[in-house]
Amino acid sequence: MESPTTPFGPTEADALALDAADPLRGFRDRFSLPRGRDGAPQIYLCGNSLGLQPKATRDAVLAELDDWARLGVEAHFHGRHPWYPYHEFVRETGARLVGAQPHEIVYMNSLTVNLHLMMVTFYRPTSERYKILIEDAAFPSDTYAVRTQIRIHGRDPDDALLVAKPRLGEKAIRTEDVEALLEREGSHIALVLMSGVNYFSGQVFDMRRIAAAARRHGARVGFDLAHAAGNVELCLHDWNVDFAAWCTYKYLNSGPGAVAGCFVHERNARDASLPRLGGWWGNDPKTRFRMHLEPEFVPVPTADAWQLSNPPILALAPVRVSLGIFDEAGMPALRAKSEKLTAYLQFLLDRMPSERYTTITPPEKSQRGAQFSLLAHDRPRELFRELEAADVVCDFREPNVIRVAPVPLYNTFHDVWRFAKVLSKHA
Ligand SMILES: *Cc1c(COP(=O)(O)O)cnc(C)c1O
């Protein structure tokens, strides 16, 4: 060990000792780890982009295929996990993951679709109040979604879109600057739609304070939790946000293009007068199967009211498995390990100062999750290729950012140690 003040040591043996003491160490074995050229597991630091496959997922999907083969339509009620109430199997686990009441969440569609469905309800511009506040740099799909929503309402996105930015020379957006923007423009802002964790910088936003400020100024507030769900602890109900949406293929390990999550606060879910798009799976189950006999849409008083279609069972099976694993590990324990993993990475990086890159993710642990974004000053693509050649799996975001994310479920301190060793050779 280095010094009495740091809990970390720099050697490989130190990394292995941290793994041996990790209460979550057993979870790694429950995932399929892609192998590198030498047959050893790759240094997979890409769970922020596509999480790895839980080994139980294959059997869960095959079980649904078998039930379909064996039972046909009867599997709706007689399958091992009956399809008719299938979305109920992710309700409790899915709600605990994001700090919601069970009836405030539903897993459906994909993320951008859910953002649009939410904006149909929660972006209702008037001549006074018509602006949407987003962050710089928002994920492109979110930017396209808000710009096209603004156009649908006959407005000009260049006028109606407000962007919260970091101060000159800074990398992170200050919460007080978002609050100041709301103070200044609040009476014109219809909706605040920010991410919980920025995809590019890895900054965790103070969602509680931002939600409170938005509501104080009469705006609706929603969060895109693509990089936050399964990464940081969330209290959506208590923070009183209007809605949220997130994908499940990043930290949530549910597979490429997996079914997304959606949160609607109960005070909204109970409000039958809210405008929305309706479909039969959002309708009161008492009249759902009266079909054409009951043409009037009767929304259930829960988030399910926004669920248009019957759920895609083959796609929901991986979500059910994955949320079960998160629930077993628990977000507080995962977050505790995640903070330790990133602190360890920071410790190793601090020991090898380099001119070649700067970390743009905030150093404060309350402002970062699992992701580190390294801004490469010099030949960024080459640095990325050098990492790839050494079996590091991370990703590159134009023009010059390399994102690495040691995730607490299946990454080890040894993975982080191996990564730092590779980086030290090239940086
Ligand atoms: C990953 C991600 C998306 C992807 O949207 P899909 O609809 O799932 O393709 C959207 N927004 C953010 C912020 C993301 O991180």
Side-chain angles (χ1 to χ4, degrees):
M1 293 283 153
E2 274 268 287
S3 85
T5 54
T6 148
F8 301 124
T11 69
E12 185 168 24
D14 293 321
L16 294 170
L18 286 166
D19 284 328
D22 168 16
L24 298 178
R25 65 185 176 281
F27 283 95
R28 178 175 172 94
D29 273 348
R30 291 163 64 175
F31 288 84
S32 296
L33 308 169
R35 309 248 150 205
R37 277 165 281 273
D38 59 0
Q42 290 174 326
I43 307 169
Y44 196 89
L45 302 178
C46 214
N48 57 333
S49 179
L50 184 75
L52 292 181
Q53 184 185 129
K55 289 176 183 164
T57 296
R58 176 186 297 268
D59 282 346
V61 175
L62 288 177
E64 300 311 333
L65 284 172
D66 287 346
D67 281 1
W68 178 23
R70 213 161 45 83
L71 300 168
V73 72
E74 296 290 313
H76 276 104
F77 295 99
H78 302 298
R80 281 163 283 181
H81 290 97
W83 299 339
Y84 181 70
Y86 202 92
H87 59 287
E88 300 295 343
F89 301 136
V90 292
R91 188 175 299 291
E92 300 283 336
T93 53
R96 276 193 287 274
L97 179 84
V98 294
Q101 303 291 321
H103 52 275
E104 291 177 318
I105 61 115
V106 59
Y107 281 77
M108 59 183 189
N109 312 307
S110 45
L111 169 53
T112 309
V113 173
N114 287 345
L115 290 176
H116 275 300
L117 288 177
M118 290 294 103
M119 280 192 278
V120 165
T121 298
F122 296 108
Y123 178 53
R124 310 296 305 172
T126 63
S127 53
E128 247 316 275
R129 197 183 272 284
Y130 60 92
K131 296 192 179 183
I132 302 182
L133 172 62
I134 62 170
E135 93 259 25
D136 182 46
F139 193 86
S141 198
D142 301 45
T143 303
Y144 304 151
V146 294
R147 290 183 73 92
T148 52
Q149 283 281 340
I150 290 167
R151 280 197 202 284
I152 279 183
H153 290 282
R155 295 198 164 266
D156 175 5
D158 290 334
D159 169 40
L161 201 55
L162 277 175
V163 182
K165 296 189 164 111
R167 292 186 189 177
L168 206 63
E170 297 187 6
K171 308 277 190 258
I173 299 171
R174 297 188 192 203
T175 310
E176 64 258 36
D177 289 355
V178 178
E179 289 171 329
L181 198 52
L182 276 156
E183 195 65 50
R184 212 167 55 238
E185 294 268 358
S187 61
H188 300 299
I189 298 178
L191 173 66
V192 175
L193 180 53
M194 287 178 60
S195 58
V197 177
N198 183 266
Y199 87 101
F200 193 73
S201 69
Q203 180 185 2
V204 178
F205 294 115
D206 190 332
M207 290 168 262
R208 185 185 59 79
R209 259 174 75 187
I210 291 169
R215 289 175 50 76
R216 219 166 32 244
H217 293 282
R220 295 288 199 174
V221 56
F223 286 102
D224 180 328
L225 303 176
H227 283 268
N231 179 16
V232 295
E233 288 182 86
L234 300 164
C235 306
L236 297 181
H237 177 85
D238 289 347
W239 294 339
N240 213 353
V241 311
D242 284 294
F243 69 89
W246 57 97
C247 55
T248 60
Y249 47 81
K250 292 171 180 163
Y251 292 99
L252 294 179
N253 311 321
S254 298
V259 179
C262 194
F263 165 92
V264 181
H265 198 282
E266 65 179 3
R267 72 187 141 77
N268 297 318
R270 291 205 182 111
D271 183 352
S273 72
L274 286 176
R276 71 191 79 203
L277 299 180
W280 70 328
W281 240 248
N283 196 80
D284 184 349
K286 286 202 279 302
T287 51
R288 180 181 294 155
F289 283 98
R290 304 227 339 121
M291 305 273 178
H292 59 284
L293 303 175
E294 302 265 357
E296 189 57 48
F297 178 66
V298 183
V300 288
T302 71
D304 292 17
W306 280 264
Q307 186 180 220
L308 304 179
S309 299
N310 74 103
I313 304 302
L314 298 179
L316 261 186
V319 178
R320 180 174 63 75
V321 168
S322 175
L323 292 176
I325 296 173
F326 271 87
D327 207 48
E328 204 184 316
M331 276 313 295
L334 285 165
R335 178 63 171 149
K337 177 175 171 188
S338 178
E339 285 175 359
K340 204 164 166 190
L341 276 172
T342 45
Y344 178 56
L345 177 54
Q346 184 81 65
F347 163 80
L348 295 175
L349 296 184
D350 287 349
R351 290 175 50 87
M352 40 184 258
S354 169
E355 303 277 284
R356 209 164 165 197
Y357 66 86
T358 322
T359 308
I360 58 169
T361 308
E364 300 82 9
K365 71 178 181 191
S366 65
Q367 282 194 63
R368 75 177 174 208
Q371 176 181 320
F372 261 74
S373 300
L374 307 177
L375 187 146
H377 300 296
D378 176 29
R379 294 166 291 127
R381 279 247 167 232
E382 278 170 49
L383 177 58
F384 179 63
R385 272 190 227 108
E386 287 157 7
L387 294 173
E388 274 188 317
D391 277 335
V392 173
V393 183
C394 54
D395 68 13
F396 185 79
R397 287 291 173 268
E398 295 289 349
N400 52 4
V401 164
I402 294 171
R403 304 186 306 174
V404 295
V407 306
L409 257 182
Y410 51 76
N411 282 124
T412 58
F413 291 89
H414 192 233
D415 286 340
V416 171
W417 184 86
R418 287 169 71 204
F419 167 72
K421 186 158 173 250
V422 171
L423 186 65
S424 70
K425 278 199 202 123
H426 298 286

